[in-house]
Amino acid sequence: MLKGINFYRAGLLVGVLMILTYARASAASAPSAGTLSPSNGALAINTTIRITCTYSDADGAADLSVVYLLLNTSASGVNGIYLAYNRQANKLYLRNDADTGWLGGFAPGQATSVQNSRVRLLGQTTSVSTSGNTLTVNWSIQPLGANAGATLKAYLRALDSTGLHSGWVQRGTLTFKYAPVGQSVTPNSGSAAIGAKTTVSSVYTDADGTNDLSVVYFLVNTTASGTNAIYLAYNRQTNRLFVRNDTDTAWLG
C-alpha cells in the first residue's frame, strides 16, 4: 500500500511538472512587427537607399528567429521586394521573383549582394543591432527599374524560436521613381569675361516626366560648395529664379 502511495505521489508530481511546463510554454509571447522608416514618400530607382525596420519580442530580442520586410501591392512575395534576416544564423536573404525560394545567405556587413528583377540587396551596408526586446535591421537596397512608377505597401513580419509569429502587418506605403539627372551644361569649358553678360544653358531630365522636376540648380565653384560661388536655382513649380548668398545660408530673389 505504501508503494502504491509513492507511485501515486510520483505520478502527481510528474503531472504537476507537465502542467507547469505547458503553462510556461503557453505563456510565451508572440513577436511584434515594429516600425518602418521611411514609412511613406518617394524612393529613387537605381540608387542605394536604407529602410530601417524594428521588430520586438517580450521574451527578448534573442527569442526572435527570422524577421521580414515585404514591399508589394499586396502581402504576396510574387514579384515583390521580399527580404529576410535569420537572426539565429546571422544571414540575409532575398526571395526570388516566383516566391519559390530564397537567394543569398550572407552576413550583414559582408561585401556581397544578391538581386532579383525588382531589387538588389546590399550586404556590406546592411546592418543589424539589438537593444532589450528590440531588433533593428537597416536594410540597404537598390530598387530596380521594374518598380518604376509603382506604389507599394510595406509589410513587416516577425517569427520567434517557438514558431509564434506576428503575421504580416502593413507599416507604410512607398512610391518608386527615377532620380532626376543633371544632363549637360553648355559651354562646359572655356573662359568668361568678368562684368560681361554670359549665357549658359543647362539641361535636366527626369524619366518620370518634366512635371516631376521640382527645383534644379547650377553651381560654379572650385568644389561642390555654395560658399562664395555662382550658385543658382530655378523652382519649376513656382516658376521663380534664385541666387544663393555668399555665405551659403539663404536664397536671394
Side-chain angles (χ1 to χ4, degrees):
M1 183 65 181
L2 183 59
K3 184 180 291 187
I5 292 174
N6 287 337
F7 274 119
Y8 172 77
R9 288 177 176 173
L12 182 61
L13 179 59
V14 170
V16 170
L17 289 174
M18 290 178 64
I19 291 171
L20 289 175
T21 301
Y22 175 78
R24 182 177 297 173
S26 63
S29 300
S32 300
T35 60
L36 175 83
S37 180
S39 59
N40 57 69
L43 300 179
I45 298 293
N46 296 328
T47 61
T48 300
I49 62 174
R50 174 168 287 193
I51 299 179
T52 300
C53 302
T54 64
Y55 312 85
S56 61
D57 192 316
D59 300 312
D63 192 50
L64 289 167
S65 176
V66 187
V67 296
Y68 304 89
L69 168 63
L70 171 63
L71 302 175
N72 211 344
T73 53
S74 64
S76 166
V78 178
N79 293 323
I81 297 175
Y82 188 5
L83 313 174
Y85 170 65
N86 186 315
R87 189 202 61 77
Q88 295 171 316
N90 192 35
K91 301 293 185 185
L92 297 166
Y93 297 90
L94 168 66
R95 196 72 168 169
N96 66 7
D97 291 331
D99 193 20
T100 56
W102 292 104
L103 310 174
F106 46 85
Q110 186 175 334
T112 189
S113 64
V114 65
Q115 73 179 68
N116 58 18
S117 69
R118 299 283 169 168
V119 70
R120 181 177 297 112
L121 173 60
L122 307 174
Q124 188 167 15
T125 47
T126 294
S127 62
V128 177
S129 62
T130 58
S131 178
N133 295 336
T134 302
L135 172 72
T136 301
V137 182
N138 296 300
W139 304 98
S140 182
I141 62 173
Q142 291 177 348
L144 303 179
N147 301 294
T151 297
L152 304 179
K153 298 174 182 177
Y155 300 90
L156 302 182
R157 182 174 182 259
L159 177 71
D160 74 9
S161 59
T162 67
L164 295 174
H165 62 87
S166 65
W168 288 113
V169 181
Q170 185 181 345
R171 291 300 191 211
T173 302
L174 300 169
T175 299
F176 291 84
K177 294 188 174 184
Y178 285 101
V181 177
Q183 193 70 41
S184 63
V185 59
T186 305
N188 60 10
S189 63
S191 59
I194 299 297
K197 184 169 69 174
T198 301
T199 298
V200 178
S201 298
S202 54
V203 178
Y204 311 84
T205 60
D206 192 320
D208 298 307
T210 304
N211 288 338
D212 197 53
L213 289 168
S214 175
V215 185
V216 297
Y217 302 90
F218 178 67
L219 172 65
V220 179
N221 207 351
T222 54
T223 62
S225 166
T227 303
N228 295 321
I230 299 172
Y231 187 7
L232 314 175
Y234 170 65
N235 187 316
R236 189 201 62 79
Q237 295 174 315
T238 61
N239 194 33
R240 294 289 184 267
L241 295 166
F242 300 88
V243 62
R244 196 71 167 170
N245 67 1
D246 294 333
T247 55
D248 193 19
T249 56
W251 290 104
L252 310 174

